[in-house]
Amino acid sequence: GDSVTQMEGPVTLSEEAFLTINCTYTATGYPSLFWYVQYPGEGLQLLLKATKADDKGSNKGFEATYRKETTSFHLEKGSVQVSDSAVYFCALSLPATGANNLFFGTGTRLTVIP
Amino acid sequence: SQTIHQWPATLVQPVGSPLSLECTVEGTSNPNLYWYRQAAGRGLQLLFYSVGIGQISSEVPQNLSASRPQDRQFILSSKKLLLSDSGFYLCAGTGFGSPLHFGNGTRLTVT
């Protein structure tokens, strides 16, 4: 079935370190891919998205490239800050009708220490 | 733009008591609405979704129920809470062609 597999955390990095959070997917069609971020005590917010192969989503210094050949959408940031500490969710959306076409990974908790 | 309002932000309830969490949506009509739960140490679990008034689909069997009395209102309920119902509950919504928007969540502690 359709699913998202996300790198398990928690991940702890020092400020200005390079971040990679791996995400791979399984889908029967051609999904759109998303990264959502959940800051402490808040709901989820859309961080970035990509809707087709080779698209690169970017926002707030984060990037992820839709790789169809490896079915991946890894999240990267060149230099993390303490304020990036949050839980990051990779998600997949299929272009089919119906409300149940959204799949989330289990989330990766990132802690950035000064 | 679409906004999801969810309340209360935190709630402490004794075992066996009822529950009602409310979610309302602004900025879009006829949204698809969702209730997710995020239990400690686990990812997001879809509990219910709704494509319209009175239309509710349940993803997992559980002690909870959902209702959609109005187009932009989605309610999560329980008649008798269990300890295992503790968690962080998130309401989410999406209009046509737009990504999922989330409310700020309700942290429920059942004691």
Side-chain angles (χ1 to χ4, degrees):
Chain A
D2 305 304
S3 65
V4 174
T5 302
Q6 188 174 340
M7 165 182 174
E8 290 193 19
V11 174
T12 302
L13 295 174
S14 297
E15 207 165 20
E16 298 183 2
F18 184 85
L19 168 71
T20 299
I21 300 178
N22 290 339
C23 172
T24 57
Y25 67 90
T26 302
T28 51
Y30 299 95
S32 296
L33 301 172
F34 307 85
W35 277 100
Y36 281 82
V37 57
Q38 183 183 27
Y39 297 105
E42 299 183 14
L44 276 71
Q45 304 171 27
L46 179 64
L47 180 60
L48 54 84
K49 68 176 182 180
T51 57
K52 61 182 187 298
D54 300 325
D55 269 3
K56 178 184 284 187
S58 61
N59 185 26
K60 299 182 181 180
F62 290 89
E63 293 182 342
T65 301
Y66 189 142
R67 302 285 188 199
K68 187 170 183 293
E69 64 276 13
T70 55
T71 62
S72 65
F73 194 54
H74 305 321
L75 182 68
E76 297 181 335
K77 186 173 186 181
S79 176
V80 293
Q81 305 301 312
V82 172
S83 57
D84 293 326
S85 297
V87 181
Y88 292 82
F89 291 89
C90 186
L92 171 160
S93 172
L94 290 167
T97 58
N100 58 337
N101 61 347
L102 292 151
F103 301 89
F104 283 87
T106 54
T108 302
R109 181 176 298 280
L110 169 67
T111 302
V112 180
I113 54 178
Chain B
S1 64
Q2 190 176 159
T3 305
I4 308 292
H5 299 284
Q6 189 180 341
W7 66 92
T10 59
L11 189 60
V12 180
Q13 293 284 103
V15 167
S17 63
L19 172 73
S20 180
L21 301 182
E22 188 159 346
C23 171
T24 59
V25 181
E26 284 183 13
T28 187
S29 57
N30 196 31
N32 293 336
L33 296 174
Y34 308 78
W35 277 110
Y36 285 88
R37 176 170 57 200
Q38 186 179 23
R42 301 179 61 182
L44 283 175
Q45 180 185 36
L46 179 62
L47 302 176
F48 300 96
Y49 67 90
S50 170
V51 299
I53 295 173
Q55 300 179 64
I56 308 294
S57 295
S58 175
E59 288 294 292
V60 294
Q62 58 202 306
N63 183 43
L64 302 168
S65 62
S67 62
R68 187 165 176 181
Q70 300 179 43
D71 180 48
R72 300 180 191 182
Q73 185 184 27
F74 202 27
I75 299 172
L76 183 69
S77 304
S78 173
K79 292 182 180 178
K80 290 185 178 181
L81 284 169
L82 305 172
L83 286 175
S84 57
D85 292 324
S86 293
F88 192 57
Y89 290 83
L90 288 160
C91 180
T94 181
F96 180 77
S98 65
L100 205 58
H101 288 81
F102 284 83
N104 283 339
T106 297
R107 184 161 302 284
L108 171 66
T109 303
V110 182
T111 60

